[in-house]
Amino acid sequence: MSAPARTTARRGWRGGRDRPPRPAVAPRALAGAVALALGAALVGCGALPGSGAPLHPVVTHEFAQPLAIPPLAPSRLEDGVRVFALEARSGERSFAPATAPGASTPTWGFDGDFLGPTLRAVRGEDVAVEVENGLPEATSVHWHGMHLPAAMDGGPHQEIPAGGSWRPAWTIDQPAATLWYHPHPHGATETHVLRGLAGMFILDDDRTATAALPSEYGVDDVPVIVQDRRFADDGGFVLSGDGAEPGLLGDTVLVNGTVGPVHEVRRERTRLRLLNASTARSYRFALPDRPLTMIAGDGGLLDAPLPLDAIQLSPGERAEVIVEMRAGETLRLRSEAVELGGVLLPGASGGGDAFDVLELRAAETLEPSPEPTWEPSAHAEADALHETDAVETREFELNGREINGERMDLGRIDAAVELGATELWAVRSTQAIPHSFHVHDVQFRILSVDGAAPPPELAGRKDTVLLEPQRRYLLLMRFDDYADPDHPYMFHCHMLLHEDEGMMGQFVVIAPGAPGPRDRQDPDGGAHHGR
């Protein structure tokens, strides 16, 4: 097995700025410091070391407010291109009853004061998004889970200055899925997301056009964007953590920005598009007396409906589930204590937290809805990934704030892959704190976890996965369509504090036979030398 190529590349990517990330502690020192800090915190609050007792328990608020439904973003057709428009802007809103009556919380949002509209497109469409940055500082918009050119990815190299604009354009060419968009500015992603910048991006295709699935947006096909927040006494968001791992854990849960949300159910079956848009907290969603029927993961529909007692999502992960209800009943979607594997002091990482998330109230008479079924896509064979096609295996170890011993450097390329190549990425967290692993551009298959088949809920297309400590996750992925040696994609931990402090790397896709970044010459004649 070969380690990823690490190559020095020229700084000053087009559309980006070399703003250094937050300073980080050296990984060996960090591991010890984390253990000491968490131990002290637990002693201080009376929790026992090694227990799952929560340090920041979630506050239960009355479920009395209608669930806000993000509006579908309008679009226009322009020379065959579906064009959306988004403006990042400042605002304020009340998050009562989590805040005092009359208190206003300063927020950021897209086309509004918090979160953003849901973009929707169909496979095969050409799309463009006109993004305006009305914020007082630079930000970016990353299309999480989307297959698109690196220059349109919206990572740290495509930051939009305050008052500036950006117009990415690409062709939708991937299966129907629930994706999302959020900022990705270098060193400041956690703060920008906590202030409210996020939204959903739904893709449709030939399967969803004919599937027997709930499909009326906001009625029986419901976006469920789950986030946690902590509020200061004056109603403002707490935007800095206390140094504990894995980052800020809030004591209030929001769904689509609603505290204590209630959704009125009108049909026998309701499709919930679950998105963990929190910066650090994982959730384990369940119903009290019946299974959830999982129909899709990060990258699209499963092969068949999958009944589950619970579905766990780490930051950035998505799942679509079907909830069946009887007329007149009320159910609470709940987050149970999450399973984080061999994490040090799981209570400090939210492992012991259990709380209600969303109330579902069924009408006295429910409209019928069919059993969920769908046919294979006409693109199924072309989309399929085959382990026998893999030409390279790369090893990635996450520790401290480093991947393979390196902190993020905007001027360094960590891997160069050939266009059309299928690769295996073996990923392991070597420390006992939570990490989730996200790869831009591709959807991967998890072939194995420590050599065994993954659980069925992880068998579909994925772009983000929770890494339990000291376990080896073997990911299969293919790099199609877009070669660009000058614009990198990212891979990183999606615990946003970790990402901001350096747990991120970069890869480029190059044409077959083309010189990799290590062989390219600077315009001034200097060569790039890899290590």
Side-chain angles (χ1 to χ4, degrees):
M1 296 183 180
S2 61
R6 293 182 298 182
T7 306
T8 303
R10 180 167 54 88
R11 294 182 183 272
W13 300 92
R14 291 191 295 272
R17 294 187 294 129
D18 287 326
R19 180 176 62 198
R22 302 177 187 180
V25 183
R28 290 183 179 84
L30 175 66
V34 166
L36 291 174
L38 292 180
L42 283 169
V43 170
C45 72
L48 295 174
S51 77
L55 291 181
H56 301 290
V58 172
V59 176
T60 300
H61 297 282
E62 180 184 3
F63 285 80
Q65 301 199 67
L67 175 67
I69 302 296
L72 287 171
S75 63
R76 67 182 189 274
L77 284 176
E78 189 176 276
D79 297 327
V81 177
R82 183 169 300 283
V83 181
F84 299 93
L86 289 175
E87 181 188 12
R89 62 177 73 159
S90 302
E92 61 179 39
R93 70 154 58 181
S94 169
F95 288 93
T99 56
S104 291
T105 302
T107 58
W108 287 356
F110 291 104
D111 292 359
D113 55 17
F114 191 74
L115 298 180
T118 297
L119 279 63
R120 193 158 197 169
V122 179
R123 187 171 193 168
E125 282 192 308
D126 293 327
V127 299
V129 187
E130 297 173 342
V131 184
E132 300 288 337
N133 181 10
L135 301 172
E137 63 184 77
T139 190
S140 73
V141 185
H142 166 56
W143 317 105
H144 184 124
M146 192 76 73
H147 173 54
L148 76 177
M152 311 299 171
D153 185 54
H157 296 294
Q158 289 89 42
E159 286 192 12
I160 312 165
S165 61
W166 180 53
R167 191 182 190 274
W170 69 97
T171 300
I172 304 294
D173 190 13
Q174 62 190 99
T178 298
L179 311 182
W180 66 303
Y181 60 95
H182 63 80
H184 212 302
H186 191 39
T189 298
E190 181 189 38
T191 297
H192 285 215
V193 173
L194 280 170
R195 284 175 170 161
L197 293 174
M200 197 170 276
F201 201 139
I202 296 176
L203 302 184
D204 299 302
D205 67 2
D206 57 325
R207 283 187 300 178
T208 54
T210 60
L213 291 172
S215 59
E216 186 175 351
Y217 180 80
V219 178
D220 63 354
D221 183 355
V222 183
V224 180
I225 303 173
V226 185
Q227 301 175 299
D228 59 338
R229 292 292 189 276
R230 200 182 303 168
F231 294 91
D233 291 342
D234 64 0
F237 290 134
V238 174
L239 297 176
S240 60
D242 54 11
E245 292 291 347
L248 189 144
L249 297 178
D251 58 12
T252 297
V253 170
L254 312 176
V255 180
N256 301 347
T258 308
V259 178
V262 175
H263 181 66
E264 302 291 342
V265 172
R266 291 165 32 186
R267 294 176 185 152
E268 293 173 337
R269 291 179 175 86
T270 300
R271 177 185 194 172
L272 303 180
R273 296 180 183 261
L274 301 172
L275 160 59
N276 181 353
S278 292
T279 62
R281 183 184 291 278
S282 292
Y283 301 89
R284 186 171 178 82
F285 297 105
L287 291 172
D289 64 350
R290 69 199 64 182
L292 295 166
T293 300
M294 182 179 178
I295 61 170
D298 291 346
L301 291 168
L302 305 179
D303 290 338
L306 176 65
L308 293 172
D309 290 334
I311 177 70
Q312 184 161 307
L313 300 179
S314 65
E317 288 188 289
R318 290 89 63 210
E320 298 177 34
V321 299
I322 301 290
V323 175
E324 296 186 36
M325 296 188 69
R326 296 180 288 272
E329 71 173 342
T330 296
L331 293 178
R332 291 266 181 92
L333 181 70
R334 183 169 177 79
S335 181
E336 300 178 337
V338 298
E339 299 175 1
L340 298 173
V343 166
L344 176 70
L345 307 178
S349 297
D353 298 355
F355 46 87
D356 293 331
V357 174
L358 170 65
E359 184 166 288
L360 301 170
R361 295 178 185 170
E364 292 302 320
T365 302
L366 294 177
E367 301 172 25
S369 54
E371 291 278 349
T373 60
W374 55 89
E375 298 296 325
S377 169
H379 302 274
E381 184 175 347
D383 291 335
L385 297 172
H386 303 287
E387 184 178 3
T388 53
D389 293 336
V391 297
E392 176 89 16
T393 300
R394 303 178 190 268
E395 300 281 343
F396 297 89
E397 289 193 351
L398 283 68
N399 187 283
R401 294 297 186 263
E402 299 176 343
I403 301 179
N404 287 352
E406 300 274 14
R407 289 183 65 221
M408 173 62 175
D409 182 340
L410 284 172
R412 184 189 69 243
I413 299 300
D414 300 281
V417 303
E418 286 198 348
L419 180 66
T422 299
E423 295 194 353
L424 292 165
W425 286 21
V427 188
R428 182 195 301 267
S429 169
T430 59
Q431 63 183 158
I433 62 175
H435 291 302
S436 59
F437 190 72
H438 171 52
V439 186
H440 289 208
D441 180 52
V442 299
Q443 293 286 335
F444 52 74
R445 278 179 52 208
I446 302 174
L447 290 184
S448 63
V449 181
D450 282 345
E457 64 268 25
L458 297 183
R461 294 165 61 91
K462 296 281 292 172
D463 54 59
T464 308
V465 60
L466 178 69
L467 303 179
E468 294 187 6
Q470 304 299 340
R471 305 191 74 185
R472 185 174 186 264
Y473 293 74
L474 191 60
L475 315 179
L476 180 69
M477 61 194 79
R478 186 174 64 232
F479 302 87
D480 286 329
D481 299 320
Y482 307 114
D484 186 343
D486 295 321
H487 293 89
Y489 298 104
M490 309 293 122
F491 56 88
H492 58 87
C493 180
H494 218 280
M495 309 295 190
L496 297 186
L497 174 67
H498 297 179
E499 171 189 328
D500 282 344
E501 292 186 344
M503 187 167 268
M504 182 160 61
Q506 305 187 112
F507 69 95
V508 292
V509 180
I510 60 175
R518 72 171 64 195
D519 301 317
R520 290 188 292 114
Q521 299 288 317
D522 280 328
D524 61 4
H528 297 286
H529 301 292
R531 290 181 291 170

